Amino acid sequence: QSQASVGPKDWLFGSSNRQGDKVILDTKMGLNGMDLIIDGWFHERGVLWPGQAMSLKVKQVLDHHRSKFQDILVFESENHGNVLVLDGVIQVTERDEHAYQEMIAHLPLYAHPNPKRVLVIGGGDGGVIREVAKHPGVEEIVECEIDEGVINVSKKYLPSLAKGYDDPRVSVKIMDGAKFMDENQDSFDVIITDSSDPVGPASVLFETPFYNAMYKSLREGGIVCTQGECMWLHLDLIRPLIDSISETYSTVEYAYTTIPTYPSGQIGFIIATKGRGECKKPERTPSDEILEGLQYYSPELHEASFVLPAFAKRAIFGKK
């Protein structure tokens, strides 16, 4: 995992230290999530969205500690339910989490005709595996999370997400995702990487070697779907990564969802395939019963999510 170059004050006040395209957070000192609560409001300020902030009113702090990897904060908010914050960045609020969890899971899964084995890297809160478990044809779900602390606080304070762990098809590996994939090649039909932003322990998940590792761990005809940052903020990260992995994967596409508590209210997904065509149209559709329980994903939205605003389409896929 990446080492220190940006101190906690840099993180709070928006200066960054870049090595190539990678922003690096001081994981030795780290930041104290409690410092971001001022006058009863949590303020999310980050190097990846300089000049803007997201604020939520805090009812009470439920948990705050530092794991081996990152600062973990959980608080009950005034109108977004419980909120999970890692290294000062909002990961989940109970109010809008479905807009992210459903899309990152169902875009690749419904684009695949018959997924049997699914790997989820990151996503220790359990929301993605909860969604994967809604596919009755899936026989095995492997959750690979490097920080067990995230799993533990989610089971305690985010039970509506962590109920994903109750499914008997789920097995949990507390380890580095790249190492697990290296040991399990040609193994999975779908790989979903639900990572935090490319700072601190998650920075390696936004680099070409990690995508190469996913490719090797995919079965022929497989699909990867990863958290792909924000088109309003991170085109300088998205385009080089897509260009780089396009040399390896059969197809590489970009879709997005809208979610109020993520920076600029939007986050994207990089969806790439091995030995098959694009994923813009679902191969399967949810049963009426499953569809009734979904709050965001639908077959119509599946197709619509790949339609990008003109500026983003030009920036990500247009001529250089």
Side-chain angles (χ1 to χ4, degrees), residues 227-269:
Q227 191 268 92
E229 290 303 319
C230 176
M231 68 177 73
W232 293 101
L233 299 166
H234 305 128
L235 293 173
D236 61 330
L237 293 172
I238 297 164
R239 176 67 186 250
L241 181 55
I242 284 182
D243 285 349
S244 172
I245 67 173
S246 293
E247 298 170 12
T248 303
Y249 286 85
S250 304
T251 65
V252 181
E253 299 165 278
Y254 192 83
Y256 72 96
T257 188
T258 61
I259 176 165
T261 55
Y262 282 2
S264 297
Q266 180 274 329
I267 200 163
F269 308 107

Side-chain angles (χ1 to χ4, degrees), residues 86-98:
L86 300 180
D87 276 339
V89 179
I90 294 168
Q91 305 297 312
V92 164
T93 84
E94 288 180 310
R95 181 175 175 178
D96 62 7
E97 52 88 9
H98 54 271

Side-chain angles (χ1 to χ4, degrees), residues 166-273:
D166 299 334
D167 192 283
R169 295 168 291 174
V170 173
S171 61
V172 179
K173 310 291 181 186
I174 307 298
M175 64 183 295
D176 177 81
K179 185 174 187 297
F180 178 80
M181 289 188 292
D182 189 52
E183 297 168 358
N184 293 271
Q185 302 204 350
D186 298 309
S187 294
F188 295 99
D189 299 302
V190 173
I191 299 174
I192 299 166
T193 299
D194 174 17
S195 64
S196 49
D197 295 303
V199 291
S203 63
V204 294
L205 307 184
F206 289 80
E207 296 169 355
T208 307
F210 185 78
Y211 279 81
N212 291 342
M214 285 193 289
Y215 185 85
K216 290 174 183 173
S217 192
L218 269 185
R219 290 172 171 170
E220 196 68 19
I223 304 169
V224 302
C225 183
T226 68
Q227 191 268 92
E229 290 303 319
C230 176
M231 68 177 73
W232 293 101
L233 299 166
H234 305 128
L235 293 173
D236 61 330
L237 293 172
I238 297 164
R239 176 67 186 250
L241 181 55
I242 284 182
D243 285 349
S244 172
I245 67 173
S246 293
E247 298 170 12
T248 303
Y249 286 85
S250 304
T251 65
V252 181
E253 299 165 278
Y254 192 83
Y256 72 96
T257 188
T258 61
I259 176 165
T261 55
Y262 282 2
S264 297
Q266 180 274 329
I267 200 163
F269 308 107
I270 294 173
I271 300 170
T273 65

Side-chain angles (χ1 to χ4, degrees), residues 3-4 51 122 235 276:
Q3 293 304 308
L235 293 173
R276 57 154 285 160

